[in-house]
Amino acid sequence: MVHNDIPAQATIAETNPPTGSPRGLRTRLLDRFFLEGQVLETEQIAARMRRIRIGGPALHGLNWLPGQQIRIATGDPDAEGIMGRIGDLRTYSVWHYDPDAAEIHLCVMDHGEGPGATWGREAKPGLAVRFRGPEGSLTLRPDAGYHLFAGEETASAAFGPMLRAVPGHIPVYGAIETATEADRLPLHRAVALTRPLRGTASAARSQTLLDAIRAIDLPAEPGVAYLAGEARTIQMISGYLVRERHWPRRSVVTKPFWTPGKRGMD
Ligand SMILES: Cc1cc2nc3c(=O)[nH]c(=O)nc-3n(C[C@H](O)[C@H](O)[C@H](O)COP(=O)(O)OP(=O)(O)OC[C@H]3O[C@@H](n4cnc5c(N)ncnc54)[C@H](O)[C@@H]3O)c2cc1C
């Protein structure tokens, strides 16, 4: 899968075969729908999370807001057929974006044999990466009196840049659950968060996370809540905020990332 023959600074046009050939047509079609970069570096940022740094000229000047995600084509970049080259699309929150360096960092969790987890596990420097540009509604509400974050390992990949972007004078609350301490991502303003451990319990329908949110001493007035990660846990926490604490629904931003038995949730 490693694509070593594209020099780091080469443009896509330079690497295209002649446009009249079937391969040229396929490449132009891919270019129309996908951006292309290259894995520059990987790092084991937490016990089951790899940080994957992707760079290339196409990553200059993207429109990205903290909390948004990109969709990765997990196929084999060297496959002959277009579908093989795209493979399954899987969505990953952007952990860090540097428009000047033209780099995006992702944090991909290793939890099984699905196309996304396998792509994240096997990515190494030189791998060509095709992806759709940043998108998504999980972004900070600028008018919030305070922000409340709730989610597990995968959600913390989106919360990381959101927490870095909250102005220092705006209060932050939240609970970020992980299986173990070693699964925690380094988060800005972590002292304002509780970080419950669920141990061997499932992250789905997590009572641990709900209890941790219940235990937070929140102001009487609603702020804005960001609930991400496992879908049914999100439903439980959203239900608690709306029904028990009487938050307006519009103050609760939800983004399910995965749920047991469902593949590729976006
Ligand atoms: C907006 C959005 C942002 C996302 N951001 C990230 C991110 O930053 N980092 C990240 O790692 N993932 C993230 N995800 C999840 C990611 O897109 C994939 O769904 C995930 O990597 C599983 O893909 P897969 O191909 O390996 O497994 P699939 O083939 O899609 O699923 C196989 C099985 O794995 C289970 N599964 C999926 N995720 C988990 C999990 N975390 N723990 C336990 N079981 C799981 C599924 O329920 C399913 O039963 C995000 C999803 C969305 C929608």
Side-chain angles (χ1 to χ4, degrees):
M1 283 206 11
V2 179
H3 196 121
N4 283 326
D5 54 348
I6 298 182
Q9 297 307 315
T11 65
I12 288 166
E14 281 165 352
T15 60
N16 274 352
T19 51
S21 73
R23 192 174 163 89
L25 183 64
R26 283 196 296 268
T27 306
R28 276 187 293 137
L29 267 174
L30 281 170
D31 289 348
R32 197 157 156 206
F33 294 105
F34 292 92
L35 300 168
E36 185 172 329
Q38 208 178 49
V39 174
L40 302 177
E41 180 197 45
T42 64
E43 176 205 7
Q44 200 67 38
I45 191 169
R48 290 180 298 151
M49 276 280 190
R50 279 185 104 203
R51 183 179 62 88
I52 300 175
R53 183 159 72 91
I54 300 166
L59 282 80
H60 276 294
L62 300 177
N63 286 320
W64 170 77
L65 292 172
Q68 288 188 317
Q69 69 269 4
I70 61 174
R71 304 188 82 197
I72 295 278
T74 64
D76 178 351
D78 292 329
E80 255 311 299
I82 196 162
M83 295 319 286
R85 286 164 83 181
I86 296 173
D88 294 283
L89 294 179
R90 289 292 183 270
T91 306
Y92 294 99
S93 308
V94 174
W95 171 252
H96 174 70
Y97 174 51
D98 182 338
D100 298 327
E103 287 180 7
I104 269 179
H105 303 202
L106 309 175
C107 290
V108 179
M109 182 149 160
D110 188 356
H111 60 79
E113 302 305 319
T118 305
W119 177 86
R121 199 165 44 237
E122 293 181 353
K124 50 181 113 150
L127 177 71
V129 184
R130 286 194 189 269
F131 62 97
R132 305 291 308 267
E135 60 185 354
S137 54
L138 181 67
T139 56
L140 289 171
R141 296 264 186 84
D143 54 344
Y146 65 92
H147 302 277
L148 171 67
F149 295 88
E152 34 64 296
E153 288 88 342
T154 59
S156 63
F159 294 162
M162 294 172 83
L163 284 161
R164 292 194 292 270
V166 174
H169 65 284
I170 303 288
V172 158
Y173 299 84
I176 315 294
E177 174 202 280
T178 54
T180 69
E181 257 181 68
D183 287 311
R184 289 176 178 160
L185 287 179
L187 294 176
H188 192 60
R189 295 181 73 168
V191 286
L193 309 169
T194 55
R195 306 195 77 177
L197 301 177
R198 67 173 177 276
T200 54
S202 170
R205 280 191 158 280
S206 174
Q207 194 61 42
T208 305
L209 187 56
L210 178 61
D211 289 345
I213 292 292
R214 275 183 195 279
I216 297 174
D217 188 14
L218 290 172
E221 289 301 310
V224 174
Y226 309 92
L227 315 181
E230 198 280 321
R232 287 184 288 165
T233 308
I234 290 175
Q235 271 174 6
M236 288 162 61
I237 296 171
S238 168
Y240 161 69
L241 291 172
V242 172
R243 285 195 293 276
E244 292 185 41
R245 293 201 63 116
H246 309 294
W247 281 40
R249 276 192 189 281
R250 65 174 181 282
S251 300
V252 182
V253 181
T254 58
K255 189 69 196 167
F257 283 10
W258 65 277
T259 203
K262 188 123 200 267
R263 310 197 64 199
M265 267 198 86
D266 212 14

